[in-house]
Amino acid sequence: MAITPLDHKFSVAPMLDWTDKHCRYFHRLMTRHAVLYTEMVTTGALIHGKGDYLAFNEEEHPLVLQLGGSNPADMALCAKMAEQRGYDAVNINVGCPSDRVQNGMFGACLMAKPELVASCVAAMRDTVAIPVTVKSRIGIDELDSYQFLTDFVGTIADAGCQQFIVHARKAWLKGLSPKENREIPELDYPRVHQLKRDFPELDISINGGIKTLEDVMQQLKLVDGVMVGREAYTNPYLLSLVDQFIYGEQQPVMSQHELVRAMLPYIKQQMEQGARFWHIARHMLGLFQGLPGARQWRRHLSENGHKAAAGPEVLTQALAFVPELSVSGQAG
């Protein structure tokens, strides 16, 4: 069954402890078209956990659930849960290098088991009508030849996966921390570009180290999509020009001050439902990056946002430290 892939020209990477539903709501205020991802959720948490790990705001679409797991039956069950809740696609994590992930037999260690990943894809595609995608590295440890990467992608594509997001850096599963794995070894963008040339029928997105929309536009000449991670989080106003730059929209862009004011009703509503102010406001720390008053904005939020009585007024107070300008155009 052919499934239309999401328009994945620009997406924000799944980031553990970062891209929760509050972060995604904030990001969606800046871009209508970017594809947003949940933090990675394990099949064990979904099947056996007591929390609601699938909660999201309707405004977040298009939204992808990233799953961690390797048991085909469990992956299919969780994909069905995601489809029933309204997610637009499900992504399999084959890129995370942490020890905890390896011990659970998911993440980057699965690159050494392409047949198992293919079995997961096949089981999920048999169960749901939404796209099933894979996010991987270009290799792991000594398994880092281009032939290894093409064999991996080819095996999984044969199981019906049409969309791949490839972090253009191999993962070291032994001796490096997850943080070090974000910097070591060097990125290898040409390898992902070659992958697209060799698999023109597949939808290939590139991920890793991309910081500006100019960089995104350059990459889009060579691949189908670009996934931005830490830069979209630490400098979120980057997202405000995505719809214009990438998708050709002519909608007016909200200023940073307008974005803060647009978040206030959401914060009030979420706090009435039991959310803590800081769990929402922390995602907004980088909003004024590079502008006068940005340091004072961050300091006021950081010093006051943790307090038990903190509420939307902390944001309003912090705004006073930042001159209100017209749209800054800082996002490039």
Side-chain angles (χ1 to χ4, degrees):
M1 178 174 57
I3 296 173
T4 305
L6 291 177
D7 183 347
H8 221 263
K9 281 199 286 291
F10 186 95
S11 58
V12 178
M15 291 177 281
L16 210 54
D17 299 322
W18 289 7
T19 52
D20 62 19
K21 70 173 188 174
H22 304 312
C23 175
R24 299 189 305 261
Y25 183 91
F26 174 50
H27 285 175
R28 184 58 74 210
L29 288 177
M30 291 177 273
T31 166
R32 294 192 311 147
H33 295 288
V35 176
L36 302 182
Y37 278 71
T38 68
E39 306 168 86
M40 182 188 67
V41 183
T42 66
T43 54
L46 285 182
I47 296 169
H48 306 295
K50 293 186 168 35
D52 182 3
Y53 297 98
L54 294 177
F56 65 90
N57 304 289
E58 282 301 319
E59 293 87 350
E60 295 173 37
H61 294 291
L63 178 62
V64 181
L65 173 71
Q66 189 183 60
L67 267 182
S70 58
N71 178 293
D74 288 351
M75 293 290 277
L77 174 60
C78 291
K80 191 64 178 175
M81 292 165 69
E83 182 179 55
Q84 289 171 340
R85 286 293 287 271
Y87 280 87
D88 298 295
V90 180
N91 176 260
I92 305 175
N93 183 324
V94 193
C96 181
S98 81
D99 292 339
R100 187 168 62 83
V101 165
Q102 292 180 58
N103 293 337
M105 186 46 74
F106 52 92
C109 62
L110 286 176
M111 286 200 76
K113 299 180 180 293
E115 297 290 350
L116 179 56
V117 179
S119 295
C120 289
V121 168
M124 294 161 78
R125 278 184 47 89
D126 284 346
T127 305
V128 299
I130 56 176
V132 175
T133 71
V134 168
K135 184 174 189 292
S136 74
R137 298 291 189 117
I138 56 173
I140 52 170
D141 296 335
E142 305 308 323
L143 300 173
D144 62 353
S145 69
Y146 182 66
Q147 185 65 51
F148 170 78
L149 178 61
T150 57
D151 288 348
F152 173 82
V153 169
T155 298
I156 292 157
D158 286 346
C161 182
Q162 299 172 281
Q163 201 159 36
F164 291 80
I165 304 97
V166 184
H167 186 148
R169 177 184 275 121
K170 80 169 179 178
W172 283 106
L173 302 183
K174 305 181 186 84
L176 288 186
S177 70
K179 183 178 180 183
E180 290 168 325
N181 261 294
R182 293 198 292 264
E183 305 289 346
I184 302 169
E186 293 289 311
L187 288 157
D188 188 349
Y189 293 148
R191 188 166 291 202
V192 184
H193 302 158
Q194 184 64 46
L195 192 67
K196 175 59 190 177
R197 288 195 291 273
D198 291 341
F199 292 91
E201 73 283 5
L202 297 179
D203 190 290
I204 306 285
S205 287
I206 196 167
N207 170 231
I210 296 161
K211 294 181 181 295
T212 71
L213 294 185
E214 285 80 7
D215 290 343
V216 172
M217 296 299 284
Q218 288 301 311
Q219 291 288 346
L220 286 175
K221 296 175 182 176
L222 299 163
V223 290
D224 301 296
V226 176
M227 176 178 275
V228 175
R230 282 171 290 162
E231 192 67 19
Y233 190 87
T234 58
N235 178 26
Y237 200 61
L238 170 85
L239 301 178
S240 67
L241 292 180
V242 162
D243 291 356
Q244 286 187 3
F245 261 73
I246 313 300
Y247 294 95
E249 288 265 336
Q250 299 302 316
Q251 300 282 69
V253 174
M254 279 199 278
S255 71
Q256 288 98 328
H257 281 69
E258 288 169 336
L259 281 165
V260 173
R261 289 192 281 266
M263 281 294 289
L264 296 176
Y266 174 79
I267 293 172
K268 183 171 182 292
Q269 175 213 31
Q270 290 293 312
M271 290 186 69
E272 287 170 352
Q273 296 173 13
R276 288 188 57 199
F277 170 77
W278 181 244
H279 291 165
I280 306 171
R282 69 190 180 99
H283 302 299
M284 304 171 68
L285 283 171
L287 181 57
F288 292 94
Q289 183 171 303
L291 295 179
R295 184 175 299 172
Q296 293 93 323
W297 155 267
R298 290 194 302 271
R299 181 184 300 144
H300 188 83
L301 278 185
S302 298
E303 290 176 355
N304 298 282
H306 292 280
K307 296 175 181 175
E313 72 285 345
V314 176
L315 280 179
T316 307
Q317 294 159 4
L319 270 185
F321 293 105
V322 192
E324 183 156 13
L325 307 169
S326 58
V327 173
S328 68
Q330 293 279 322

